[in-house]
Amino acid sequence: MKVGATEPVARGRFITFEGGEGAGKSTQARRLAAHLEAAGQKIVLTREPGGTAGAERIRALLLDAAAAWTGLAEILLHFAARADHVARVIRPALAAGSIVICDRFTDSTLAYQGYGQGGDRAAIAQLARLIALEPDLTIVLDISVSDSLSRLAARGEKADRYERLGADFFARVAAGFRAIAAAAPERCVLIGAADDEARIAARIADLVRDRLGLDA
């Protein structure tokens, strides 16, 4: 390097996982993180809503089955959590050259609050522009309504507020995710969630290598 030259600033990669209830996002995000970490990559695995202490408190409010938010209030809560998460976790990690893998991001707000609950999609898009961060790759796990319902029942856990919204809501969310993926093919890849977990993980690993050039 020449004397006085400035070394390039490292910039990591931002990968998000999206999909409806029971699609396996969290499982596949963990599997990809472990796979890339084993290959020597620096990984930050996080989630939304959440990822910081403040955002996790907002998450608890949003998932509370007893809560009843207006549509706009719910959208703003998601973006308040996201703004804190991006500023405190995601941007610093990317600036340090890490690969950030996030379980849900802005596409979930559009699918759930926009398509699923009939919220103002233009307002969601405007708030997304204020956040000013787009993933390098978004993996959308496409799950049928029947599979969502059966997987949630198999968990045997108390349902959160979104899980209680039922089949019609799940169908609108699934359609929303498909529309989002179709509108941004350079960023989003739709993968069927009904396949074997290991085969889905292998396909995702290949996808990350081919799309992002990561040595995995």
Side-chain angles (χ1 to χ4, degrees):
M1 181 181 291
K2 295 179 180 179
V3 176
T6 302
E7 187 174 350
V9 176
R11 201 282 188 183
R13 298 300 184 98
F14 186 26
I15 301 170
T16 56
F17 280 81
E18 299 285 3
E21 301 301 319
K25 300 177 293 41
S26 301
T27 297
Q28 293 299 336
R30 287 193 298 268
R31 290 189 70 136
L32 179 61
H35 177 72
L36 292 174
E37 201 162 39
Q41 303 285 357
K42 295 189 298 180
I43 303 298
V44 172
L45 177 61
T46 189
R47 70 175 184 178
E48 288 209 348
T52 67
E56 290 290 338
R57 288 195 288 272
I58 295 174
R59 178 188 181 90
L61 294 173
L62 285 163
L63 297 185
D64 185 352
W69 303 104
T70 66
L72 180 57
E74 189 165 330
I75 290 168
L76 291 172
L77 282 169
H78 275 284
F79 274 97
R82 181 164 298 129
D84 194 59
H85 186 208
V86 167
R88 296 179 186 274
V89 175
I90 298 177
R91 286 195 188 280
L94 293 174
S98 296
I99 299 169
V100 177
I101 299 173
C102 191
D103 180 352
R104 297 199 185 282
F105 197 60
T106 304
D107 292 322
S108 273
T109 309
L110 183 55
Y112 275 68
Q113 282 66 52
Y115 286 90
Q117 295 178 314
D120 188 337
R121 295 181 206 168
I124 293 170
Q126 185 174 5
L127 289 164
R129 286 192 289 272
L130 288 175
I131 296 293
L133 181 63
E134 187 172 273
D136 296 294
L137 175 65
T138 296
I139 297 155
V140 182
L141 295 174
D142 185 34
I143 186 167
S144 68
V145 172
S146 60
D147 282 348
S148 281
L149 293 171
S150 63
R151 289 183 183 185
L152 290 176
R155 288 178 183 174
E157 300 173 356
K158 185 177 179 181
D160 66 34
R161 193 163 65 86
Y162 293 116
E163 292 168 354
R164 291 185 177 193
L165 292 177
D168 289 345
F169 172 73
F170 291 175
R172 292 192 298 272
V173 168
F177 276 125
R178 292 181 197 120
I180 290 165
E186 72 290 346
R187 174 176 65 85
C188 299
V189 178
L190 196 70
I191 294 177
D195 201 357
D196 175 77
E197 181 183 305
R199 283 196 293 269
I200 293 173
R203 183 177 175 190
I204 290 170
D206 289 343
L207 180 65
V208 168
R209 183 194 62 237
D210 295 343
R211 285 283 188 111
L212 302 182
L214 295 176
D215 183 13

